[in-house]
Amino acid sequence: MHWTKKNDNPTATTLSISTADSAAAGFFISFCAYMVVQLYMNVQVFPFDAGNYWALSAHIWDFSFPQQMRGYFYPLLLSPFKFLHDNYAPFGLLMFKICTSVFYAYFFAVLFPRFFSTIFGGKLTTLSRSIPSILIAIIFPGLICYPLSDAPSLALIIGAAALVLSGIKSETNIKRFGLFFIAGMLAYFAYNTRTIYLFSIVALCLLIFFTAKLHITKRAIGVLAFLFGACLGAVPQMAVNKGHYDNPSPLIITDLGNGSLFLSQLMWGIVVDRYETYTPVNAPGTPVFYANSAGENLLLHTDARKITSITDYLKLVMTHPLTFASIYARHIASGLDVRDGEVYTQTPSHQKSLRSIFSLAVVILGITQFLRLLFSSGAFSPAGLVEKLGWTTVLLIACIAVIPGAVETRFFFPVFYVCLVAMVTGFQKDLLGFKGYQLILTALITLSVYAFVQQSIQNPIYDRPESRMYNYSPGN
């Protein structure tokens, strides 16, 4: 009988138990790591963007969501904790810390490592599940402790990707289309939380259509099921937009009277290497940026006021490709140097050399290991190169898309997390699976990027980037 065959392969049974045990242990260790950093930082006040999300969560259940550039979903997730905080202050913040730690521990230590190993290969162990979480708690403590969109949006797109993959591999139509439907909802929630994930929604639709081994009609139905799920998730946003703009659009409307937010970010990116928020002790916080001299020189010969559309910006890029290649390379280097991992930093960045070197060494080593997995083949690479590139696009396109704009290091969180997982799961035999050239390459790149960033941040500018763009204002 078929059910007796489960006992015929004790190795498979042992492997299944081991995987389940590693998931439980990895979840617990990751939860503890996130809670430790929450309690250590002991954040009591949420400033700037974090404060904005926290304040918006009070306007969900009375249907008074204001007209602004953020979606409804993340404030909805925060609303129970905001209610508890307003009525039982200490308990509300404690529950926020506990529940966010549980949320991140599940998505980052349980769900994603399993998804990653299915696509790219590698070993699932307690260490491979928990070490990335521990390193994230060290490198990006602010993303764990503050209600910001970067970590939850990545978790949601991971959930969507995992469901799409399960749907593609499912053998029954009802289960397959149901998984695609729920994945569509999660993908929309990720976009609603951070709009740059709109590109990931497109990528997931293409993966469903081109990688599912189904008749073309079923693949098309799969895409429609995914989009129907996204449409259901968009209903509250459509109601918000209908009320404010008389337009039931499912999109987050970011053009609020001052022109395109995306274009504004692109223009900032011409003159900004990196952007931070400096909050010295016993003093009001202030934005700070580090100027890009190549971009400033370019705008000396360009009237920035005449760049009023994305088309105008692209024409400028095509006219000066080498200059923009240099600008984008500086953005990447600055984004990988996470010396401001608290987000709202209280120490000037040029004084954080150890944090800089540590974050760079870890992520660059992880990138080399990820590239090995991406281009490897055989038993340890379950998916083909094209398929792996597709899933990589889903996970990292949000980072790629922000490179031209004003870079904050938290925007590179997906690169760090994916590459940290690759670093500890991408071993075929043991934890000493690094090649000699990887270590040498990592050291050289780390020192080079560190030297560049250290020089770049010597002269912070406590003003808006428009001060370097002739008081540029999009649309004027």
Side-chain angles (χ1 to χ4, degrees):
M1 297 178 64
H2 290 295
W3 63 268
T4 59
K5 292 183 179 180
K6 293 184 179 179
N7 297 324
D8 295 339
N9 190 349
T11 303
T13 303
T14 303
L15 177 61
S16 176
I17 294 173
S18 175
T19 301
D21 288 346
S22 74
F27 172 86
F28 178 74
I29 295 172
S30 297
F31 169 78
C32 290
Y34 296 142
M35 279 302 300
V36 166
V37 75
Q38 292 264 24
L39 296 174
Y40 174 77
M41 289 190 66
N42 192 30
V43 174
Q44 300 295 317
V45 177
F46 301 138
F48 298 97
D49 283 355
N52 193 7
Y53 282 114
W54 190 243
L56 286 172
S57 64
H59 300 284
I60 291 294
W61 297 107
D62 61 359
F63 303 102
S64 62
F65 200 75
Q67 180 182 11
Q68 48 85 55
M69 296 180 292
R70 288 176 174 82
Y72 79 91
F73 185 73
Y74 189 43
L76 177 65
L77 290 183
L78 295 174
S79 61
F81 311 116
K82 175 65 172 173
F83 173 81
L84 290 173
H85 175 263
D86 291 346
N87 294 276
Y88 314 97
F91 184 66
L93 284 181
L94 178 61
M95 289 304 298
F96 167 75
K97 295 173 182 179
I98 292 173
C99 291
T100 53
S101 297
V102 169
F103 180 83
Y104 295 145
Y106 172 73
F107 280 94
F108 295 153
V110 178
L111 188 62
F112 183 69
R114 184 169 66 241
F115 168 82
F116 186 92
S117 65
T118 302
I119 299 297
F120 297 96
K123 297 170 62 175
L124 282 178
T125 65
T126 299
L127 287 177
S128 68
R129 292 180 183 273
S130 57
I131 287 178
S133 293
I134 294 172
L135 291 174
I136 286 298
I138 295 171
I139 297 172
F140 285 101
L143 297 188
I144 305 302
C145 298
Y146 290 102
L148 292 164
S149 63
D150 307 86
S153 59
L154 176 61
L156 290 166
I157 207 65
I158 284 172
L163 288 174
V164 166
L165 180 62
S166 296
I168 289 173
K169 295 181 177 295
S170 177
E171 296 181 357
T172 64
N173 289 331
I174 294 178
K175 181 179 179 181
R176 178 184 302 115
F177 298 140
L179 289 171
F180 288 158
F181 180 83
I182 300 172
M185 291 185 64
L186 288 185
Y188 180 82
F189 293 155
Y191 156 74
N192 193 266
T193 302
R194 191 155 183 261
T195 55
I196 203 71
Y197 281 104
L198 179 63
F199 297 108
S200 293
I201 293 180
V202 176
L204 284 170
C205 288
L206 294 175
L207 279 167
I208 292 173
F209 191 80
F210 288 108
T211 65
K213 294 179 173 59
L214 302 168
H215 188 274
I216 188 170
T217 302
K218 290 185 178 180
R219 284 183 278 160
I221 294 174
V223 173
L224 288 176
F226 179 88
L227 293 176
F228 283 151
C231 289
L232 180 62
V235 168
Q237 190 64 47
M238 294 169 70
V240 171
N241 290 340
K242 176 64 176 177
H244 289 304
Y245 309 102
D246 195 28
N247 177 15
S249 170
L251 303 177
I252 308 296
I253 297 176
T254 58
D255 300 348
L256 300 181
N258 294 318
S260 167
L261 175 66
F262 187 45
L263 177 61
S264 178
Q265 288 288 310
L266 291 174
M267 293 303 299
W268 276 26
I270 295 177
V271 296
V272 174
D273 271 347
R274 61 191 285 145
Y275 188 82
E276 300 173 355
T277 303
Y278 180 43
T279 56
V281 179
N282 299 323
T286 180
V288 55
F289 75 93
Y290 304 93
N292 186 301
S293 58
E296 289 187 342
N297 290 333
L298 174 63
L299 291 186
L300 285 175
H301 305 91
T302 304
D303 187 353
R305 295 180 182 86
K306 293 182 178 180
I307 304 175
T308 58
S309 67
I310 303 298
T311 302
D312 293 336
Y313 174 84
L314 292 176
K315 288 179 180 178
L316 187 64
V317 173
M318 297 301 293
T319 306
H320 305 277
L322 294 180
T323 300
F324 276 93
S326 169
I327 291 171
Y328 296 165
R330 293 168 70 92
H331 288 183
I332 295 171
S334 296
L336 293 177
D337 187 325
V338 188
R339 59 178 74 208
D340 60 334
E342 305 95 330
V343 180
Y344 304 113
T345 179
Q346 297 182 344
T347 305
S349 280
H350 69 268
Q351 298 179 15
K352 296 183 176 182
S353 295
L354 289 179
R355 284 190 63 89
S356 168
I357 293 173
F358 177 74
S359 67
L360 283 171
V362 168
V363 73
I364 292 170
L365 184 59
I367 289 172
T368 64
Q369 194 73 345
F370 178 72
L371 292 175
R372 282 180 62 190
L373 287 174
L374 183 64
F375 294 105
S376 64
S377 60
F380 295 98
S381 296
L385 176 60
V386 174
E387 188 177 352
K388 287 190 288 186
L389 287 173
W391 291 110
T392 300
T393 300
V394 170
L395 297 170
L396 301 185
I397 195 170
C399 299
I400 297 169
V402 300
I403 289 173
V407 168
E408 295 183 55
T409 56
R410 61 191 177 97
F411 297 165
F412 280 65
F413 175 67
V415 170
F416 271 82
Y417 185 69
V418 170
C419 291
L420 290 180
V421 172
M423 185 174 68
V424 294
T425 63
F427 303 113
Q428 297 183 4
K429 294 181 180 180
D430 53 54
L431 289 178
L432 299 178
F434 295 118
K435 300 293 185 181
Y437 72 85
Q438 283 182 270
L439 301 177
I440 296 173
L441 189 63
T442 296
L444 292 175
I445 296 177
T446 296
L447 292 176
S448 299
V449 175
Y450 168 76
F452 155 69
V453 177
Q454 190 69 8
Q455 186 275 331
S456 171
I457 62 176
Q458 294 303 312
N459 298 302
I461 299 171
Y462 300 94
D463 202 348
R464 290 181 62 82
E466 284 86 348
S467 64
R468 301 283 173 159
M469 301 187 306
Y470 313 114
N471 297 316
Y472 169 78
S473 179
N476 289 345

